């Protein structure tokens, strides 16, 4: 869709981005004059429609919450194969904001990070794992301060119900995929295991807020995983116990290397505190990560962060 197009009285003003499961536009409703965001998907595949519906239902389940984008409508079908829903309009996303403003100070980073944690804790308490938490899915309202809103639950899973194709396998995007996903250790992931994956994504976000996107570190890690798996039987021929053993074998094979992401700051005291959090969030062994957001928040308080 292009600027000036109209969909069900929603005048398209511009694109706000999009991903695998739809595109998002800034629109004005022609009757009310209200500015809002409109997410659109077009597909002939019934599973895509079901997934789109599931995302909208998750957003309704999570409202109202100040750290989660609020949906305005249910899914509307425009025959034959277009679907849309509307939601609140937010100023920008974390990726775009950082490209203009640069990286944050540790204190500002932790304010944003705590807001992200608050929104994610709300989702986890509602039995929902986000599974694709990255810069473009963290929105910011810019006013007298910076206010966080989590969005894009297209890869999320509601563990209270089953819908779409996301019901069985983990669906983290490439950039925030935890190492264990590459070993396919979750034939049927549980909420605690998915929370461990969200924790890993949180660690990558924290690292990036303070320093830089850890592209080199993540590329190196994935290359090492690929090399390790290349010398072993295909995962397709292994059962879940064998996949878990292979994952553990890989962890032990890295005992002489860094198992986490670490920042390097001039303030050694601040550096040590932040890295103690990152050591738990981004550890390659998912059993070592924080078990839930409450545990993470308690540690932040103890460290004075």
């Amino acid at each position: 869709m292009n600027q000036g197009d109209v969909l069900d009285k929603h005048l398209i003003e511009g694109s706000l981005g999009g991903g695998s499961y739809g595109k998002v536009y800034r629109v004005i409703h022609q009757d009310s004059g209200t500015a809002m965001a409109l997410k659109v998907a077009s597909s002939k595949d019934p599973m895509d429609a079901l997934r789109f519906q599931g995302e909208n239902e998750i957003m309704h389940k999570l409202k109202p919450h100040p750290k989660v984008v609020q949906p305005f409508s249910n899914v509307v079908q425009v025959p034959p194969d277009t679907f849309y829903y509307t939601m609140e309009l937010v100023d920008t996303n974390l990726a775009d904001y950082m490209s203009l403003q640069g990286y944050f100070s540790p204190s500002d980073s932790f304010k944003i990070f705590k807001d992200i944690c608050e929104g994610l804790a709300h989702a986890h308490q509602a039995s929902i794992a986000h599974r694709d938490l990255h810069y473009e899915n963290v929105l910011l309202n810019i006013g007298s301060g910076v206010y966080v809103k989590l969005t894009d639950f297209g890869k999320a899973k509601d563990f209270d119900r089953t819908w779409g194709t996301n019901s069985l396998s983990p669906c983290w995007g490439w950039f925030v995929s935890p190492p264990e996903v590459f070993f396919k250790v979750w034939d049927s992931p549980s909420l605690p295991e998915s929370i461990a994956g969200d924790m890993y994504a949180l660690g990558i976000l924290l690292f990036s807020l303070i320093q830089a996107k850890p592209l080199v570190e993540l590329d190196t890690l994935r290359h090492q995983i690929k090399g390790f798996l290349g010398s072993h039987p295909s995962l397709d021929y292994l059962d879940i116990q064998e996949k878990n053993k292979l994952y553990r074998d890989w962890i032990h094979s890295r005992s002489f290397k860094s198992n986490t992401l670490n920042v390097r700051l001039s303030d050694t005291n601040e550096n040590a505190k932040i890295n103690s959090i990152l050591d738990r969030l981004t550890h390659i062994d998912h059993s070592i990560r924080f078990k839930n957001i409450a545990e993470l928040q308690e540690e932040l308080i103890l460290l004075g962060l």
Side-chain angles (χ1 to χ4, degrees):
M1 300 182 68
N2 300 308
Q3 184 176 359
D5 289 345
V6 177
L7 177 65
D8 267 5
K9 296 188 176 183
H10 298 94
L11 175 65
I12 307 297
E13 290 200 327
S15 174
L16 295 174
S20 304
Y21 305 128
K23 295 183 178 180
V24 183
Y25 300 91
R26 176 189 171 91
V27 300
I28 299 290
H29 193 276
Q30 291 179 312
D31 287 345
S32 68
T34 303
M36 58 187 73
L38 180 143
K39 187 164 187 176
V40 183
S42 296
S43 176
K44 298 181 185 300
D45 186 343
M47 286 294 100
D48 289 339
L50 190 60
R51 184 186 296 112
F52 196 73
Q53 176 70 33
E55 175 184 5
N56 180 262
E57 290 177 3
I58 282 176
M59 294 178 70
H60 278 279
K61 182 178 180 180
L62 293 177
K63 78 172 188 181
H65 192 276
K67 300 299 187 292
V68 179
V69 168
Q70 302 299 293
F72 288 160
S73 74
N74 295 323
V75 173
V76 178
Q77 181 175 3
V78 180
D81 50 26
T82 296
F83 305 86
Y84 76 84
Y85 64 85
T86 56
M87 54 190 164
E88 68 175 306
L89 184 65
V90 184
D91 293 334
T92 187
N93 64 48
L94 186 58
D96 290 344
Y97 187 81
M98 290 178 67
S99 70
L100 294 174
Q101 302 295 327
Y103 303 106
F104 298 95
S105 67
S107 60
D108 288 341
S109 295
F110 270 96
K111 180 186 181 304
I112 293 172
F113 181 71
K114 289 174 183 177
D115 281 353
I116 296 170
C117 289
E118 187 179 331
L120 192 59
H122 176 64
H124 289 171
Q125 288 162 5
S127 299
I128 292 167
H130 191 286
R131 306 200 301 183
D132 197 25
L133 195 66
H134 61 76
Y135 324 96
E136 294 181 358
N137 293 339
V138 176
L139 303 186
L140 304 176
N141 265 330
I142 312 299
S144 56
V146 177
Y147 301 93
V148 166
K149 298 270 188 179
L150 300 188
T151 192
D152 199 343
F153 290 85
K155 293 182 179 179
K157 176 169 170 55
D158 183 347
F159 285 86
D160 287 339
R161 62 176 298 179
T162 299
W163 55 265
T165 58
N166 289 350
S167 60
L168 294 179
S169 60
C171 299
W172 281 277
W174 178 90
F175 192 67
V176 294
S177 290
E180 58 270 24
V181 167
F182 295 91
F183 290 84
K184 299 181 180 180
V185 299
W186 299 341
D187 284 352
S188 182
S190 69
L191 179 59
E193 289 168 328
S194 291
I195 286 177
D198 278 353
M199 290 296 179
Y200 185 82
L202 270 178
I204 294 175
L205 273 171
L206 177 59
F207 183 98
S208 303
L209 283 166
I210 295 171
Q211 200 143 354
K213 295 178 182 179
L215 295 174
V216 174
E217 292 91 340
L218 296 178
D219 272 339
T220 299
L221 185 65
R222 283 151 177 73
H223 181 75
Q224 200 269 339
I225 292 173
K226 183 177 179 180
F228 180 87
L229 290 174
S231 61
H232 291 80
S234 170
L235 294 171
D236 294 336
Y237 299 102
L238 303 181
D239 61 27
I240 187 61
Q241 289 78 18
E242 291 169 323
K243 291 173 185 175
N244 268 306
K245 182 181 184 306
L246 198 60
Y247 170 54
R248 293 293 162 188
D249 288 345
W250 170 71
I251 290 173
H252 296 320
S253 76
R254 286 179 48 84
S255 59
F256 60 93
K257 300 177 183 178
S258 174
N259 292 322
T260 65
L261 290 173
N262 286 155
V263 296
R264 298 172 183 83
L265 303 178
S266 56
D267 185 329
T268 55
N269 183 50
E270 197 82 359
N271 196 79
K273 290 181 179 180
I274 293 170
N275 282 333
S276 71
I277 296 295
L278 286 172
D279 283 348
R280 292 283 303 280
L281 287 172
T282 66
H283 203 286
I284 60 173
D285 185 344
H286 67 77
S287 68
I288 293 177
R289 297 176 206 147
F290 292 102
K291 299 298 183 292
N292 50 56
I293 299 293
E295 187 179 62
L296 167 60
Q297 290 170 326
E298 289 174 4
E299 187 67 14
L300 292 175
I301 292 170
L302 285 174
L303 292 172
L305 292 171

